[in-house]
Every structure is written in C-alpha cells, then in structure tokens.
Amino acid sequence: MLDPAWDAAGLVTAVVTARETGELLMVAHMNREALAVTQASGEAHFWSRSRQRLWRKGETSGNVLRVIEMRIDCDQDAVQMIVEPAGPACHTGARSCFYRRIEGERLVPVG
Amino acid sequence: MLDPAWDAAGLVTAVVTARETGELLMVAHMNREALAVTQASGEAHFWSRSRQRLWRKGETSGNVLRVIEMRIDCDQDAVQMIVEPAGPACHTGARSCFYRRIEGERLVPVG
C-alpha cells in the first residue's frame, strides 16, 4: 500500500529518470499535493522549497515531464518518476541537471 | 568549483545509479565527511540519518558500491554516484530499492 514516509517538512525526494535512455535528469521534492496532482494529471509536479508552492515542471519553459511510471523505494521516502521529457530538464538548458563530473574540487562538463 | 549546498542538517541528496545498466539503485544522504571519505576511498559512504553516523554501504552485508564517477547537479544540492555494485543495493535483497511501481494506492512489484 502506498504510504509515503513524509519528512518533517512533509516531503519525499523525487528522482526523475528518462524512459528512453534511463538517464538521471533531476532531483526535486514532492509533498502530498504534488504527488496527487502528478498522479491525476500524468505530468510531473513538485513542491518548490525556495518558492514554497506547488510547481508544475515546465509551467514557464514548456519543458514538461510526462510521467510514464512511478516507483517508490523500500522505505517509501523517495519516489522515482520515469518520464518522457518535452525538452531539457535543467533550467540551464542542459538535458540533465547532472551535467558536471566531480574531479577532486573541480567540476568538469560531462563529455 | 565543488561547493555543495548543504541543507540545514548539513546534507545533500545522493542518488546511486548502476554503471552497466544506468538503473536507479538507491537514494540516501551525504554530509561533508561522507563525501570526503567516498572520494578518498572510492567506495560509497553515506550519512545515516536514523543512526546519526557515517555509514559505509555494505559494511555488514558486503554489498559495497564501487564509485566509478561522481556528478553534481546544477544547484549542487544533489550528487549522483555511478557505481559498480558488489551485490543487491537494497537491504531487502532487491537489486534496486525501487522495486515497486505505484498504481494508484497500490504498490506492484516491477516486472
């Protein structure tokens, strides 16, 4: 039974991966409303901690994430969304937010 | 330059994916020490929030995660570790902690 382990702020971690490639695209957070609206609409919604409001991914950029499948982890404090992205997932324009490799103290663009 | 955006508890989110398949294996948290020890040792270390201590993944099970590459996201509050797992990543014995699909209020084993 779905029973998310909401943290003290009422959130779970949301990990977004691309259906076609499996690539990790972004990490954000969901509250109860974001999860419900995502399930109802089929488009990824998050809780924006900085803006303290529900956030429909792509609401300004148009780069919505169509949710193909949702999974939850063993202790139900993290959700995976397998998506078809309409465009770059990152606000920088990168396909994935994880576009830099850590090398010691340096960050190097992923090839 | 590497400059993680530690949260109020001194943590960043850590997302672990398998090098060979790209599969999402687990999500946990890292503090400054876990990140440093992971970089120095090449094996994934986390901060256990429940036990409030540094946690070398696999320290009891033997299922260590050899870190091939680390990436960080745009706002540096989430780290990706691309790993070669020595065994199941999940404490349940599942290969991935994300072994159940959400269908409405039900959880269904991933095929």
Side-chain angles (χ1 to χ4, degrees), chain B residues 2 4 6-7 11 19-20 23 26 33-34 44 52-55 58 60-61 65 81 85 90 98 106 108:
Chain B
L2 179 63
W6 310 107
D7 71 8
L11 303 176
R19 177 167 79 156
E20 197 170 353
E23 183 180 28
M26 60 177 289
E33 182 185 10
Q52 288 285 303
R53 68 168 181 85
L54 187 70
W55 162 39
T60 54
S61 66
L65 302 171
M81 285 193 277
C90 186
F98 294 84
R106 294 173 55 231
V108 178

Side-chain angles (χ1 to χ4, degrees), chain A residues 2-65:
Chain A
L2 179 63
D3 184 21
W6 309 108
D7 71 9
L11 303 176
V12 293
T13 303
V15 177
V16 179
T17 60
R19 177 167 79 155
E20 198 169 356
T21 60
E23 183 179 29
L24 174 63
L25 296 179
M26 60 178 288
V27 171
H29 294 83
M30 299 177 95
N31 62 1
R32 191 180 297 271
E33 182 186 8
L35 179 59
V37 176
T38 297
Q39 287 190 289
S41 68
E43 289 189 338
H45 290 68
F46 303 102
W47 176 255
S48 169
R49 295 181 300 174
S50 55
R51 291 172 289 171
Q52 288 285 303
R53 68 168 181 86
L54 186 71
W55 163 38
R56 174 174 166 266
K57 170 70 184 167
E59 61 192 9
T60 55
S61 67
N63 296 327
V64 297
L65 302 171

